Amino acid sequence: MRGAGAWLCVMLALACAGAAQARSAAETMDILMWNREPVGGPFELIDQTGKPRSDRDFRGRLMLVYFGFTYCPDVCPTDLMAIGQALEQLGPDADAVQPVFITLDPERDTAEHLAEYVPLFHPRLLGLTGSLAAIGTAAEAYKVYFAKIPIGKEGGDYTVDHTSFIYLMDRDGKYLGFFPPGTSAERMVEIIRPRLAAPSR
């Protein structure tokens, strides 16, 4: 998950995410790659069934955490598909991994909408939404940049600019590392499988 290739992917992803960040791209890359600051933390959100969910619900399992939005035209579905494929390749071992998709677009990504969207990628993928403030808290904990960007001539039309990393968390909710955008399912399995045998980092 780390190395020259990952460094390049991180820099490209951060550059594509927009310029007006509190942190520079280099600072964020440094945090994600070398654990300069804690990554991850508590969240209180709502899943696609309307049930309140927190990070504490997933203790005892590894977590794959991805931030995006359902109207994302390419990067999000590609990465979510790779997560689903990785779970399939893990076979029964996938039961020890919880995939989580946290929307950055709660205005459109309601629980009902997520209920239609997340099963397209894997039946165990959990979609989470909530208030913009609650999502902002989760995004800040995971060092995720996002911004609502108006597009087109229609006043209400917009996209969401954001960084696109898949975070791997251990059984205690602690950060293990990240997969850059475009990581293959095979590479994810290669990194995840040894973690399944170890109780913690």
Side-chain angles (χ1 to χ4, degrees):
M1 281 187 289
R2 299 185 175 96
W7 181 89
L8 178 59
C9 286
V10 173
M11 291 302 293
L12 289 172
L14 290 170
C16 291
Q21 291 181 257
R23 299 178 185 275
S24 71
E27 286 172 330
T28 303
M29 176 199 69
D30 199 47
I31 291 166
L32 293 178
M33 293 188 72
W34 308 114
N35 296 335
R36 304 296 189 195
E37 295 178 13
V39 176
F43 57 77
E44 300 282 346
L45 297 167
I46 298 168
D47 72 16
Q48 70 264 32
T49 70
K51 179 180 177 180
R53 293 284 193 162
S54 79
D55 56 296
R56 297 181 300 277
D57 294 337
F58 313 113
R59 295 296 180 263
R61 282 176 281 173
L62 300 180
M63 291 175 64
L64 288 171
V65 182
Y66 187 77
F67 289 79
F69 67 114
T70 66
Y71 287 79
C72 179
D74 42 32
V75 175
C76 297
T78 299
D79 287 339
L80 290 173
M81 187 176 299
I83 289 172
Q85 291 170 347
L87 293 172
E88 291 298 323
Q89 291 178 26
L90 284 168
D93 289 339
D95 290 344
V97 182
Q98 178 60 59
V100 177
F101 171 68
I102 300 178
T103 183
L104 297 170
D105 184 17
E107 184 177 336
R108 293 182 295 196
D109 291 345
T110 61
E112 294 79 11
H113 185 62
L114 288 174
E116 297 177 357
Y117 184 78
V118 293
L120 299 174
F121 301 97
H122 196 273
R124 292 188 54 248
L125 178 62
L126 192 69
L128 297 180
T129 189
S131 69
L132 188 57
I135 288 169
T137 296
E140 183 177 357
Y142 281 84
K143 309 299 185 282
V144 172
Y145 161 83
F146 71 105
K148 184 176 177 179
I149 308 295
I151 57 173
K153 297 181 180 179
E154 298 296 326
D157 200 9
Y158 65 91
T159 188
V160 180
D161 205 14
H162 66 97
T163 47
S164 303
F165 306 120
I166 301 167
Y167 299 87
L168 179 61
M169 314 301 286
D170 74 9
R171 290 174 171 85
D172 297 319
K174 296 177 182 176
Y175 175 68
L176 292 173
F178 70 93
F179 298 106
T183 299
S184 69
E186 291 75 17
R187 178 59 176 160
M188 289 186 205
V189 170
E190 181 182 345
I191 297 298
I192 292 169
R193 198 176 287 283
R195 297 290 183 182
L196 294 172
S200 188
R201 177 166 59 169

